[in-house]
């Protein structure tokens, strides 16, 4: 009888990796990783707090003046708060999502790569493009295999007024390529726009 009770409890915990409950759990856990701690931003500065957030979510960052990408959360550099400024973000296979974008009050980010980011949606791109600091600093952006992105999100990027290079690939939600090309020709005539869309 005791074995039966324990067995039922154990069986109740086992779920297949693709099960619905498993997806809810991972979604919840990823939301926890993306939670913004405004006190932490105030205490350590926006670049350090953003580095912690991005690395916690599986992204990597590169700081101004450094060639090496920072990949290990446990080896984040220490020192004066204003010493390490994020220059580039590679969010390949990361779980960053909109709720974490309050960390993006960064002034020196020039390049962002969003590749296979399952939680990135149109609203995320809209938020990014409305951040005044990024409107000034962003030069390059790549968006690859982010299935929740549509034409609406891509067109919102026209607010990044200094953007020089934009690469879009494998975005099934993007349907009107010609409309995107025309929108960027009008708003950002010097932009190099590369499309690898079906």
């Amino acid at each position: 009888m005791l074995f039966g009770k324990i067995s039922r409890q154990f069986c109740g915990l086992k779920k297949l990796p693709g099960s619905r409950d498993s997806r809810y759990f991972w979604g919840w856990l990823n939301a926890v990783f993306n939670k913004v701690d405004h006190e932490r931003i105030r205490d350590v500065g926006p670049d350090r707090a953003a580095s912690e957030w991005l690395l916690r979510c599986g992204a990597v960052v590169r700081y101004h003046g450094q060639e090496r990408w920072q990949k290990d959360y446990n080896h984040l550099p220490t020192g004066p708060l204003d010493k390490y400024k994020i220059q580039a973000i590679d969010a390949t296979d990361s779980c960053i999502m909109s709720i974490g974008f309050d960390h993006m009050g960064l002034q020196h980010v020039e390049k962002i790569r969003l590749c296979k980011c399952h939680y990135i949606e149109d609203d995320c791109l809209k938020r990014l493009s409305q951040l005044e600091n990024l409107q000034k600093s962003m030069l390059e952006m790549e968006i690859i295999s982010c299935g929740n992105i549509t034409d609406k999100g891509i067109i919102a990027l026209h607010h990044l007024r200094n953007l020089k290079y934009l690469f879009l690939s494998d975005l099934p939600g993007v349907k009107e390529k010609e409309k995107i090309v025309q929108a960027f020709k009008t708003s950002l005539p010097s932009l190099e726009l590369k499309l690898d869309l079906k």
Side-chain angles (χ1 to χ4, degrees):
M1 195 143 111
L2 178 61
F3 177 77
K5 191 182 270 188
I6 292 171
S7 177
R8 278 193 303 276
Q9 288 175 339
F10 179 74
C11 289
L13 293 175
K14 285 192 334 186
K15 297 290 180 193
L16 296 173
S19 76
R20 189 176 183 155
D21 291 338
S22 176
R23 279 182 280 168
Y24 288 132
F25 171 74
W26 290 113
W28 170 82
L29 186 60
N30 290 332
V32 169
F33 286 160
N34 278 273
K35 189 172 193 270
V36 178
D37 183 347
H38 294 283
E39 284 183 37
R40 182 75 179 152
I41 294 171
R42 187 187 67 236
D43 292 346
V44 300
D47 287 274
R48 173 63 189 223
S51 297
E52 292 173 357
W53 163 61
L54 289 161
L55 270 62
R56 190 170 51 238
C57 291
V60 296
V61 298
R62 191 177 67 225
Y63 300 107
H64 270 279
Q66 296 189 359
E67 294 295 317
R68 182 177 64 86
W69 287 89
Q70 181 66 44
K71 300 175 181 180
D72 188 347
Y73 183 93
N74 293 318
H75 290 101
L76 279 169
T78 57
L81 297 183
D82 59 348
K83 185 176 180 182
Y84 296 97
K85 301 293 185 187
I86 297 174
Q87 179 181 18
I89 298 168
D90 184 347
T92 300
D93 288 318
S94 72
C95 68
I96 63 170
M97 57 179 61
S98 184
I99 61 172
F101 277 40
D102 282 352
H103 288 102
M104 293 297 287
L106 306 171
Q107 297 182 1
H108 305 281
V109 176
E110 296 174 0
K111 181 177 182 176
I112 296 177
R113 184 172 205 257
L114 302 172
C115 180
K116 299 179 186 173
C117 298
H118 302 293
Y119 298 102
I120 295 294
E121 302 168 332
D122 291 339
D123 288 341
C124 298
L125 297 184
K126 187 176 178 184
R127 282 187 72 190
L128 272 180
S129 69
Q130 291 174 344
L131 293 170
E132 201 170 308
N133 291 338
L134 289 183
Q135 288 177 353
K136 295 175 188 172
S137 68
M138 278 292 296
L139 301 175
E140 299 178 33
M141 188 162 204
E142 297 178 2
I143 305 172
I144 304 161
S145 302
C146 296
N148 295 321
I149 299 294
T150 69
D151 304 86
K152 182 181 168 186
I154 299 300
I155 289 174
L157 297 174
H158 80 275
H159 293 293
L160 299 172
R161 61 182 175 263
N162 290 321
L163 198 62
K164 302 292 182 219
Y165 176 79
L166 178 60
F167 177 65
L168 306 173
S169 177
D170 188 27
L171 301 172
V174 175
K175 306 289 186 198
E176 300 181 51
K177 290 187 282 190
E178 289 305 316
K179 184 178 176 182
I180 288 171
V181 170
Q182 284 307 113
F184 283 114
K185 273 186 182 176
T186 304
S187 59
L188 298 171
S190 64
L191 175 70
E192 179 184 351
L193 178 62
K194 289 198 174 181
L195 303 176
D196 181 20
L197 304 171
K198 294 183 181 188

